[in-house]
Amino acid sequence: MSLQQAPPSRVFVELVPWTDRGRENNLVSGGETLSALRRPLSSAQAQTSSREVHVSGTAEVSASPDRAQVAVRVSSTKEAAAEAKKSVCRRLDYITQTLQQQGVQSENVTVTKDFKRVESAYHMEAEVCITFTEFGKMQNICNFLVEKLDSSVVISQPQFYHTSGSVENLRRQACLVAVENAWRKAQGVCNLVGQTLGKPLLIKEEETKEWEGQIDDHQSPRLSSSPTVQQKIKSATIHAASRVFVTFEVKGKEKKKKHI
C-alpha cells in the first residue's frame, strides 16, 4: 500500500537575518525551494544576526482654516470733489474706529483709496481689507457694520485660507501619527509572540496625500448658491494622509536572574 504524497507547504512569514538581507528578494512558491534556504545558519551567524518585524502605518489628519479675509468697500459720486472725499472719509473713519474698538490689530488692516472723474462728477472709492484669526469676532463686526452703515457700503463674503506654516505642520503631524500607529502595531505583534520590540532600523514615508474638503452635494440650490460661514469653513478644511513603512528590531524576552 503506497502512501499519498503530502501537498507542498507554503511559507508566509519569515524572520530575516539582518546579515542575509539578499534573501528578501527571493520568492518561494508551491513546493519549490532555493538552495540558500536549505543551508542552516551557523551558531556564530545565529548569535550575530538580528530578527526584524516589518509593519506599515497610516494616518489621516485635518485642519480647519486659520485665517479669513473680508473686504469692506465704500464709494461716493458727487459733483464736487470735496463732497465725494468727505462722504467716503467719514464712513471710512467710522469703520477703522470700529475695528480698533473691537481689538483688531492695525497690521491686519489694509486701506486703499481710488479717486477719479466720471463724466461731469467725481467718484471716490475706498477698500478696507481685514484679516481675522477669530471667526466669531469677524461675524460680529460684519453684522455691526451692515446694521450701522447705509447700502453704499458693501461687505464681501469671507475668504478662508491656511497660512503656510499651518499646512506644513499638518503634513508633519500626519507622518508622525502614521509612524506612531506603525510602532503600536509592531508592539502588539511582539507581545503576541512573546518577543520584545527593539529599536527602529528603517522608517520610510511611502505615500502622502492632501485634499480640501468639499461642501456636501445633498444641499438645496438656495444653500449651495449662498453657503453659510460654517459651510465655507468646511469647504476650506485641508486633509492630509500619510503611509509609512517601518522595520523594527526584534529581541527575545530577557530572562530574569534569580537572586540567591
Side-chain angles (χ1 to χ4, degrees):
M1 181 177 178
S2 60
L3 296 177
Q4 295 182 351
Q5 185 177 1
S9 60
R10 294 178 180 269
V11 177
F12 64 94
V13 174
E14 181 183 7
L15 292 178
V16 182
W18 182 254
T19 56
D20 196 11
R21 291 186 62 84
R23 293 169 58 196
E24 289 182 329
N25 299 325
N26 297 327
L27 301 179
V28 181
S29 61
E32 298 177 0
T33 59
L34 298 178
S35 58
L37 296 179
R38 293 198 191 102
R39 295 195 301 267
L41 292 175
S42 64
S43 58
Q45 287 177 318
Q47 292 177 359
T48 58
S49 64
S50 62
R51 294 175 299 169
E52 305 167 359
V53 57
H54 300 182
V55 294
S56 63
T58 59
E60 179 182 322
V61 295
S62 62
S64 300
D66 57 350
R67 295 289 188 276
Q69 190 173 75
V70 173
V72 182
R73 298 180 182 88
V74 183
S75 62
S76 178
T77 303
K78 302 287 185 181
E79 293 183 358
E83 290 296 323
K85 291 181 180 180
K86 181 180 179 180
S87 175
V88 170
C89 291
R90 176 174 52 83
R91 287 170 290 175
L92 192 59
D93 290 341
Y94 183 82
I95 294 171
T96 54
Q97 289 178 6
T98 300
L99 295 176
Q100 291 176 357
Q101 293 173 356
Q102 294 296 324
V104 179
Q105 301 298 321
S106 58
E107 58 266 23
N108 294 327
V109 180
T110 304
V111 180
T112 56
K113 299 177 182 179
D114 181 57
F115 186 76
K116 60 185 177 181
R117 190 182 184 99
V118 180
E119 297 180 352
S120 60
Y122 294 91
H123 179 81
M124 183 173 181
E125 183 173 322
E127 183 180 72
V128 183
C129 291
I130 316 158
T131 301
F132 292 95
T133 57
E134 302 177 35
F135 301 155
K137 178 185 290 188
M138 175 194 68
Q139 289 182 283
N140 292 335
I141 292 176
C142 291
N143 293 339
F144 180 81
L145 293 177
V146 168
E147 180 184 354
K148 297 298 182 181
L149 299 176
D150 55 32
S151 58
S152 63
V153 178
V154 178
I155 302 177
S156 70
Q157 291 293 320
Q159 300 297 320
F160 296 95
Y161 65 96
H162 294 259
T163 57
S164 58
S166 66
V167 176
E168 184 61 32
N169 288 336
L170 187 67
R171 298 186 185 122
R172 188 181 302 111
Q173 182 185 4
C175 181
L176 293 178
V177 175
V179 172
E180 182 180 3
N181 291 339
W183 177 83
R184 293 182 184 276
K185 184 188 294 185
Q187 185 73 54
V189 171
C190 288
N191 291 339
L192 181 64
V193 297
Q195 301 295 305
T196 301
L197 185 65
K199 62 184 179 181
L201 303 175
L202 172 68
I203 300 176
K204 180 181 179 182
E205 188 172 34
E206 294 186 323
E207 184 180 9
T208 60
K209 291 181 180 180
E210 292 180 23
W211 68 95
E212 284 189 348
Q214 300 294 328
I215 298 177
D216 296 336
D217 295 330
H218 306 291
Q219 295 183 8
S220 63
R222 181 179 64 85
L223 290 177
S224 60
S225 61
S226 181
T228 65
V229 171
Q230 291 300 323
Q231 290 170 340
K232 282 179 171 289
I233 292 175
K234 180 180 178 182
S235 180
T237 297
I238 290 182
H239 304 263
S242 175
R243 180 166 61 88
V244 299
F245 175 82
V246 187
T247 299
F248 290 96
E249 182 184 12
V250 176
K251 300 180 179 179
K253 285 287 185 180
E254 296 182 357
K255 296 182 180 180
K256 297 181 179 180
K257 297 182 180 179
K258 295 182 179 180
H259 297 282
I260 301 177

